[in-house]
Structure formats: structure tokens, C-alpha cells
Amino acid sequence: MKKFNVCIVGGGSTFTLGFLKSFVRMRKEFPLQKLVLFDIDEKRQELVGKFGEILFKEQFPELEFSYTTDAKEAYEDMDFVFMQMRSGGLPMRAKDEHIPLSMNLVGQETCGAGGMAYGLRSVVDMIKAVHEIRKYAPEAWVLNYSNPAAIVAEALRREFPKDKRILNICDQPENVVRSCSRLLGCSWEDLDPVYFGLNHNGWFTHMYDRNTGEDLLPKLKKLIKENGFLPQDAEQRDPSWLDTYGMVETMMNDFPEYLPNTYDQYYLYPEYKVATSDPNFTRADEVMAGREKRVFAECKEVIEAGTLGDKFDDISDAHAEMMIEVAIAIAYNKNDRHILIVENNGAIANMQDDAMVEVVCELGANGPRPMGVGNISQFYLGLLVNQVSSEKLLVDAYYENSYQKALEAFTLNRLINDAKKARKVLDLLMEENKGMWPELR
Ligand code: NAD
Ligand code: G6P
Ligand code: MN
């Protein structure tokens, strides 16, 4: 049986421990020969790397594991490159959130002004990184989930138009499916969703029972009305995530036709989101005080002890599992269904062909085959055309070094929607992103 070589870009990410543990747990379904972590931050990655050395020595000794800041060492001979970089790090995420909020605009890492600020940083770094990957591993599958995935996907589509081995993925649609399984009391693998949208802006039109074909959406609507909506792993979530999932009930009261992605809340209730955010302690602060601290404390504890001890119990990690399942689908030509970000080309019949949309795809060795949803109705079409236009203008701004295009992207964005505010928040963000954005003139 072939064994695979995998590189993780963003080896020092707070999500890497989950991947390392999941690679051990899934070693039969996805056997690895070699795993390399790559990061530009040597210190940050070293802690995760040393943790990995101990983990694999105890649990997966035949694996060739290493970590590096050298691109050639990282990418040569790779079959899959998983990308989870955060351009500018969590401190810049905090600025992406704080600055818009200081103007009473939504402060979110992937949506609105903050998402576009992060978008320009990510596009610069991701394009550079994928060129480096292609230099050393022309055939490797690039599985990207670095955010903002919608904007990154649009930029990679333009930069690498002929490259059919770049895939952009988000875990949120599947997280919502998993939440539905919690409510329905079934396994999430028994659910067969129909979904359309853009990344972080989409809807489930059906939620079929995979075994019987019954559409469970009417039942789900009733259950959500009666019980609210919780993440599948609610017990491990910070309070802000519980509020986010709770908003699904609100959205379904106002727009009962479909089940929304949790991120639709930012587009539908921006005033509520601003009013309930603390401009001095946003999600980035919560992550830095919580997940980031926990992850690196766990690394240090294991490194000091020289053994994993009981740290192997918390092994299940939905995010990592999802991304590994995507690699498995490609590796073994499974042609099973995943919700992926792909070029539209008619999947949403009444949207432009060159939009990067998020839909259910069958995924195998030759890439994703999107499953069409036909025409979507005016309300959804209006929301999506508005958002995709903003995202495309932002990527234009990158390619043309155009302040004007960035201003248009910001003005059109539903979470800003006013030219004077757009100019002001763009100028503030441009100042804070000097050297990290393309130069806008
Ligand atoms: P983090 O800051 O903890 O980790 C990111 C790592 O990337 C850091 O160690 C940093 O040094 C490294 N990095 C930054 N620029 C780099 C570059 N140019 N090349 C290589 N490495 C680089 O952030 P995090 O909270 O762990 O998130 C990591 C990424 O994963 C983010 O982009 C986040 O948005 C994304 N993410 C996406 C999904 C999804 O559904 N698509 C889900 C979870 C996380
Ligand atoms: C979800 C989204 C990701 C996003 C993450 C943020 O999983 O799909 O795109 O990066 O949430 O989570 P955090 O805990 O960092 O706020
Ligand atoms: Mn996402």
C-alpha cells in the first residue's frame, strides 16, 4: 500500500497539534511515510515540532517526521501540502477586528473590512508560497484552508489558472452538518447535504438522510425552534462560538426557507454583531488568551516531561479529520462528497462562471466534480453577487496595485456599504498593514 508524504505550511499553527494527533489516529486510513512541518517562525514551530517528535516516537515510530523553515526541504517529494498560514499572525487578526469595530463596523477575521485587510495580506503570502511549492513539488496537491478562503481562492484561481491540484476548503459547512447530527441524534456521516454559496456565506437547501433519502430539513427546523442550535462539540467551545451557533435560530425565524451557514449572521445582522462585540476584547483576544495559550502550554508540558503521558486522550479533532478525509478522497479516488470551494462554471446556474463558489462536490483523484444546484432565488442571488463582486474587486486591487479598486471593494461590501466609511476604514487598515499589503496607489 502506498504511503504518502505530507507537509503542513503553518507548522506553528494552533491547529497543528490536532493534525499531528489525527495523523496518528488515522494512520490506517491514510498511511504516512513522511510528515514535514514548515513555518516562517522558527521559534513558534519548534515547540510544536518537539511535541511531534515525542508523540511520534511513542505512537508512530516508523513515520519520518521533521520540521523546517527551508522551503526545499519542506516541499520536495510531497504528495500533499496542507496550508494553514496566518499572514501577520494573531496580533494582526486583533487589528483586523478592533479597527472596524472602532468605527461601529463588524470586526471579523474573514468578513467585512477586517476580512478584506486579512485578504490582502494572505493573497501576497499565499501566492508567494504556492509558487515556491510548485518549484519543488509540481505535482503535489495543495489543500488550502488559510483564510480568508474566499479571497485566497479567487487569487489562486487567477494566479494559477491551469493548476488543477489546488483546492480550497473550509470546515464550517461540515461543522454545521455535524451540529445537525447532534440535534437529530444520528451520525453526521448519515447526513447528505445540498449546499450552495460562497465561502462563509451559504445555505443548506436540503439535509437528506443518506440511508433513506428523506429530507430532514423540516424536522431540523422544528428541532432548532424548540432547542436552539449548538456546535457538535459545544462543551469545548468558547462563549462567542455558542452565541454564533445560537444565531442560526434567529436566522431561521427570519428566513425559514433554508438552513444558514453560521457566518451568514454577519451579513444579515451587522448591527447586532457590532452592538454585542467588545471592541477591546474580540475573538482574536479570546483565541490568544485561550486556544493559543493552551496549545503551547501543552507542548511545553510534554517537552519537559519527555513523554506524552495522558495527553493522547483528547485526540479527536473534527477540523483536522475533515482535511485528512479530503486528502483520503483524492489519494484513493473515493469520489465521496465534500463541500468545497470551486470555480462556479454553472454549479449555481444564474451566477457568473468565474465566481469561486462553495458547493457539494464528488472528490477523487482527478479533483472535485461539483454538484449543480440550478438557479437560486433573488434574495440569495442578490447577497452572493454583492459579496462576490466585493471579493473580486479586492483581488483586482492586488493585481493592479489599485487604491480605487480597494475602495470599490470596501464600498460595495455589505458590512460597510458607505463610501465615506469605506475610505476611512481602508485608510486606517492600510496604515496598519504597511509592508504586508501590496502597495495601493
Ligand atoms: P496561528 O497564527 O496560530 O498559526 C498560523 C501559523 O502560520 C503561525 O505559526 C505563523 O508563523 C505561520 N505563518 C504565517 N505566515 C506564514 C507564511 N508566509 N509561511 C508559512 N507559515 C506562515 O493561526 P491559527 O489560528 O492557528 O490559524 C491558522 C490558519 O488556519 C488561519 O489562516 C486560519 O484562518 C485558518 N483556518 C481555516 C479554517 C477553515 O475553515 N478554512 C479553519 C481553521 C483555521
Ligand atoms: C471556523 C471557520 C474558519 C475559521 C475558524 C475561526 O472553523 O470555518 O474559517 O478560521 O472558525 O476559529 P477561531 O476559533 O480561530 O475564531
Ligand atoms: Mn472557514
Side-chain angles (χ1 to χ4, degrees):
M1 194 181 198
K2 178 174 162 54
K3 291 182 173 180
F4 299 95
N5 293 345
V6 170
C7 173
I8 299 182
V9 176
S13 155
T14 57
F15 291 97
T16 307
L17 285 202
F19 275 93
L20 302 186
K21 294 174 184 178
S22 299
F23 280 127
V24 173
R25 203 177 63 79
M26 296 169 83
R27 63 207 264 193
K28 290 235 157 55
E29 298 118 280
F30 191 55
L32 293 191
Q33 178 73 38
K34 190 165 145 186
L35 176 64
V36 182
L37 305 185
F38 172 81
D39 204 297
I40 51 168
D41 185 331
E42 192 174 358
K43 282 221 171 74
R44 194 182 169 93
Q45 174 167 259
E46 192 180 25
L47 287 166
V48 179
K50 287 196 162 150
F51 174 98
E53 284 174 343
I54 295 166
L55 166 72
F56 296 127
K57 193 173 102 208
E58 292 182 1
Q59 304 282 344
F60 196 170
E62 64 275 26
L63 176 71
E64 296 166 39
F65 172 71
S66 61
Y67 53 95
T68 181
T69 52
D70 181 82
K72 183 169 186 281
E73 214 177 300
Y75 301 140
E76 244 172 21
D77 300 326
M78 283 300 143
D79 298 303
F80 292 93
V81 180
F82 289 50
M83 303 195 75
Q84 50 170 10
M85 67 164 70
R86 183 183 286 289
S87 301
L90 286 160
M92 282 309 291
R93 174 180 180 176
K95 289 191 179 171
D96 296 338
E97 294 169 353
H98 290 194
I99 291 170
L101 268 174
S102 73
M103 291 178 55
N104 289 325
L105 296 169
V106 168
Q108 213 283 324
E109 67 160 342
T110 63
C111 309
M116 289 187 281
Y118 184 16
L120 285 176
R121 290 197 302 278
S122 264
V123 167
V124 170
D125 289 350
M126 280 293 301
I127 286 180
K128 207 168 132 219
V130 175
H131 276 296
E132 277 206 305
I133 293 169
R134 283 297 174 247
K135 188 164 144 198
Y136 299 113
E139 301 290 316
W141 276 92
V142 173
L143 307 183
N144 175 59
Y145 35 98
S146 309
N147 267 320
I151 294 165
V152 169
E154 171 64 14
L156 295 181
R157 182 189 74 81
R158 289 198 212 180
E159 185 73 16
F160 303 95
K162 295 205 174 75
D163 195 323
K164 300 298 172 212
R165 290 193 168 190
I166 302 174
L167 255 190
N168 297 279
I169 319 147
C170 168
D171 61 14
Q172 200 54 19
E174 191 173 309
N175 280 330
V176 171
V177 174
R178 287 179 183 228
S179 301
C180 291
S181 72
R182 176 181 172 133
L183 257 183
L184 290 161
C186 64
S187 158
W188 65 273
E189 283 157 311
D190 290 335
L191 297 176
D192 180 18
V194 180
Y195 181 85
F196 74 85
L198 307 173
N199 177 235
H200 289 187
N201 196 3
W203 291 267
F204 293 87
T205 60
H206 304 279
M207 190 68 73
Y208 293 119
D209 180 322
R210 200 179 288 282
N211 306 306
T212 65
E214 184 194 354
D215 190 355
L216 299 170
L217 203 60
K219 195 167 163 190
L220 271 168
K221 286 179 190 171
K222 205 164 152 273
L223 283 169
I224 292 169
K225 255 207 164 73
E226 286 162 7
N227 306 295
F229 199 60
L230 285 172
Q232 188 192 30
D233 54 352
E235 291 67 25
Q236 278 113 60
R237 293 284 187 140
D238 289 330
S240 64
W241 268 115
L242 301 182
D243 184 62
T244 286
Y245 275 77
M247 287 300 284
V248 167
E249 186 186 352
T250 308
M251 289 192 265
M252 291 202 77
N253 283 332
D254 286 336
F255 307 99
E257 192 175 13
Y258 299 146
L259 175 71
N261 188 310
T262 52
Y263 279 85
D264 295 340
Q265 63 168 337
Y266 297 106
Y267 299 100
L268 299 174
Y269 308 99
E271 286 186 16
Y272 168 83
K273 292 314 293 179
V274 170
T276 53
S277 300
D278 177 350
N280 300 312
F281 194 79
T282 59
R283 177 65 189 148
D285 303 300
E286 199 177 32
V287 170
M288 288 188 277
R291 184 173 72 234
E292 191 184 38
K293 277 215 163 70
R294 272 197 310 276
V295 162
F296 289 102
E298 183 174 338
C299 289
K300 284 179 189 153
E301 217 180 296
V302 166
I303 294 164
E304 262 166 44
T307 173
L308 218 61
D310 62 1
K311 290 286 185 291
F312 202 61
D313 290 344
D314 57 340
I315 191 161
S316 183
D317 181 294
H319 169 72
E321 259 172 40
M322 237 174 264
M323 303 305 166
I324 297 171
E325 291 288 354
V326 164
I328 291 174
I330 294 169
Y332 297 109
N333 195 28
K334 285 205 144 187
N335 287 314
D336 51 7
R337 293 176 187 177
H338 298 267
I339 298 176
L340 303 169
I341 303 165
V342 291
E343 198 173 61
N344 186 30
N345 293 327
I348 302 175
N350 48 351
M351 266 190 85
Q352 65 200 80
D353 279 346
D354 65 356
M356 291 305 282
V357 298
E358 198 168 63
V359 288
V360 178
C361 300
E362 286 183 352
L363 181 63
N366 296 304
R369 284 189 292 203
M371 300 174 71
V373 295
N375 287 330
I376 57 173
S377 58
Q378 202 67 51
F379 176 59
Y380 305 98
L381 183 66
L383 285 165
L384 295 186
V385 168
N386 176 270
Q387 179 61 19
V388 85
S389 305
S390 171
E391 288 163 2
K392 279 184 174 290
L393 285 163
L394 190 81
V395 177
D396 288 346
Y398 165 82
Y399 277 108
E400 298 167 26
N401 291 97
S402 166
Y403 179 91
Q404 188 59 32
K405 285 284 170 71
L407 180 61
E408 290 170 9
F410 274 58
T411 303
L412 202 57
N413 196 287
R414 217 180 131 69
L415 303 191
I416 304 173
N417 212 26
D418 176 277
K420 292 267 183 251
K421 273 193 192 169
R423 186 182 290 281
K424 185 171 171 202
V425 75
L426 172 60
D427 288 347
L428 289 171
L429 289 165
M430 196 160 74
E431 183 63 28
E432 292 296 333
N433 280 278
K434 270 198 186 126
M436 288 180 270
W437 274 11
E439 202 185 319
L440 300 182
R441 297 182 284 269

